[in-house]
Amino acid sequence: FHLLGSLYKVLGQFELDKNTNCGDLLHVGDREFEVVTARSQFKYVGGKRFVMVRKILEVKEITRIAEEATLARLMEKGSESASGKNFE
């Protein structure tokens, strides 16, 4: 598995469970990531079946997900204040 971080920085190649998918949490060193996108690559073997040969996981650090959620809430509140909805 290849892990991709923000702005597509390759974090490394790891042996993970083949069922690792979106929403799963991964620990790499002292950092924790959530899988945001998972893509699988397959090859056709022996004219009979497809076999997964690689899985690419796009991840975000847990702290960044929390920061983005906080900023989104602040932006939402800011747009309500600008339109005057909070003063009715």
Side-chain angles (χ1 to χ4, degrees):
F1 290 93
H2 291 282
L3 291 180
L4 299 177
S6 59
L7 301 177
Y8 302 105
K9 176 184 174 188
V10 176
L11 296 176
Q13 188 167 337
F14 303 89
E15 298 265 340
L16 300 172
D17 184 79
K18 69 177 183 178
N19 296 320
T20 304
N21 216 333
C22 298
D24 290 346
L25 299 179
L26 305 173
H27 296 274
V28 177
D30 62 343
R31 298 163 69 187
E32 188 174 14
F33 298 90
E34 181 177 333
V35 178
V36 178
T37 306
R39 295 187 314 250
S40 300
Q41 293 179 343
F42 296 87
K43 70 176 181 178
Y44 196 56
V45 178
K48 296 182 180 180
R49 61 190 176 104
F50 287 95
V51 175
M52 183 172 38
V53 293
R54 184 162 85 163
K55 194 169 200 177
I56 298 171
L57 304 175
E58 293 183 20
V59 299
K60 277 192 183 178
E61 210 164 350
I62 294 294
T63 54
R64 180 173 176 164
I65 292 171
E67 289 169 358
E68 287 178 356
T70 301
L71 288 172
R73 284 192 301 273
L74 289 172
M75 295 289 287
E76 188 175 302
K77 285 183 181 179
S79 66
E80 288 177 4
S81 295
S83 64
K85 290 182 183 177
N86 289 342
F87 300 107
E88 291 179 10

